[in-house]
Amino acid sequence: MSGFCQNRVVIVTGAGSGLGRGYALALAAEGARVIVNDINEQTAAQTVDEIRRAGGEARVDTRDITSYEAAGRIVRDALEIFGDLHAVVNNAGICRDRMFVSLTEEDWDRVMAVHLKGHFCISSHAAKYWRARAKAGGAVSGRIINTSSGAGLQGSVGQANYSAAKGGILSLTLVQAAELARYGITANAIAPQARTGMTEEVFADMMKKPEDGGFDVFDPANVAPLVVWLASACSAEVTGRCFEICGGEISVADGWRSGEALSKGARWTVAELDQALPRLIARTPPAQKVYGS
């Protein structure tokens, strides 16, 4: 077996179903050896079995990505089983959707833990391994692939917790890219639209399979080639980017940028701002609309 990720070792979280499963299968098909992490041991085992039947190498991992200690064990297992680590695909996620005034503290904390802390934990251990290797003079080709969403880029009504977590992941990606480049590590994010366990109920009608057998725009497998490329050696010069992908359409997100400025050269008074800000706002392009608004 040979391909874009030949002999590269990749950890994929949430790889028992949906997008993560598609990533694991595609990575293995391109030669990667995959740690299939999922809290559901049965679905993780099914993904591993499918990879092995196709001639690939994979192992099941059911550890909790929100535990820093457990995340370290995932990375150590990858090193002990396969001898190296080249990429981490932070995919696992959950939803606890409610309007903002109805969100509970538990709704907030759980989504933050799985998405934002989960992205931190494994990436932290992987980055420490890669940094140590680089400092020892070894070659490093490390890849961190984070998962944001349109909700993280522009917000989504009824998903304040999810949107905040996904927005935080985008900022985390920028910092990782800036800090880790010196060690041979890239960090990028993807914002996929696909049919998964988190979307199949809310967007069931929009994302259902075409009845005429035509192109299935929301098939999770459509996103997998992008993840394979980002996990490969080919993406070495690409870092700090967010790729939006839906079906056969892909774009690079254009995030927050400093806009037009007014400079007085001294402190503004409230009265002056009352005159200046409406004019400045009128000249500044508005943000994209929040999903559902």
Side-chain angles (χ1 to χ4, degrees):
M1 182 178 292
S2 63
F4 277 95
C5 287
Q6 183 65 29
N7 295 324
R8 290 175 74 80
V9 179
V10 184
I11 296 170
V12 184
T13 69
S17 60
L19 285 164
R21 174 182 174 276
Y23 302 159
L25 295 175
L27 285 159
E30 292 290 343
R33 292 168 288 175
V34 186
I35 297 292
V36 175
N37 168 269
D38 202 288
I39 58 172
N40 187 319
E41 185 173 7
Q42 181 179 1
T43 60
Q46 290 171 350
T47 300
V48 168
D49 287 345
E50 189 168 349
I51 288 172
R52 289 175 174 170
R53 286 197 303 271
E57 295 183 69
R59 293 291 183 92
V60 171
D61 182 278
T62 59
R63 292 184 176 88
D64 181 3
I65 62 169
T66 70
S67 162
Y68 194 76
E69 188 279 330
R73 186 68 254 180
I74 298 170
V75 170
R76 290 193 295 275
D77 276 2
L79 298 174
E80 292 169 6
I81 293 167
F82 293 128
D84 207 346
L85 178 64
H86 300 91
V88 171
V89 182
N90 291 307
N91 166 75
I94 62 170
C95 282
R96 295 291 185 270
D97 294 351
R98 299 178 190 274
M99 300 301 281
F100 181 74
V101 295
S102 299
L103 274 178
T104 66
E105 183 179 13
E106 183 182 1
D107 294 330
W108 182 270
D109 288 347
R110 188 59 185 154
V111 168
M112 288 295 167
V114 175
H115 288 278
L116 197 50
K117 187 179 180 184
H119 273 58
F120 161 73
C121 289
I122 292 183
S123 298
S124 172
H125 287 287
K128 288 178 179 179
Y129 163 70
W130 289 324
R131 180 184 64 178
R133 182 164 180 166
K135 287 187 172 183
V140 174
S141 179
R143 304 285 183 270
I144 297 173
I145 303 167
N146 295 328
T147 304
S148 186
S149 74
L153 289 163
Q154 62 198 70
S156 179
V157 170
Q159 293 188 308
N161 48 359
Y162 180 76
S163 297
K166 290 302 191 183
I169 287 167
L170 290 169
S171 296
L172 172 65
T173 303
L174 292 175
V175 176
Q176 288 172 331
E179 292 184 355
L180 302 177
R182 73 190 73 176
Y183 305 120
I185 306 166
T186 67
N188 291 285
I190 59 173
Q193 289 188 45
R195 191 170 48 249
T196 70
M198 292 195 299
T199 62
E200 61 186 358
E201 292 185 10
V202 178
F203 302 107
D205 289 338
M206 183 183 80
M207 291 189 172
K208 65 183 179 181
K209 294 182 180 180
E211 297 177 357
D212 61 3
F215 177 49
D216 185 357
V217 172
F218 297 104
D219 184 345
N222 296 332
V223 184
L226 171 61
V227 172
V228 170
W229 186 80
L230 287 172
S232 75
C234 299
S235 62
E237 304 303 318
V238 179
T239 194
R241 299 286 189 167
C242 176
F243 298 87
E244 294 185 84
I245 182 167
C246 178
E249 182 176 290
I250 186 169
S251 64
V252 181
D254 186 9
W256 288 101
R257 295 177 179 274
S258 298
E260 179 182 344
L262 290 178
S263 179
K264 177 187 172 185
R267 181 183 301 141
W268 290 89
T269 67
V270 176
E272 289 171 333
L273 289 174
D274 185 48
Q275 296 295 315
L277 285 179
R279 296 196 301 270
L280 183 59
I281 292 168
R283 296 200 298 267
T284 303
Q288 286 183 241
K289 289 186 64 176
V290 170
Y291 281 109
S293 65

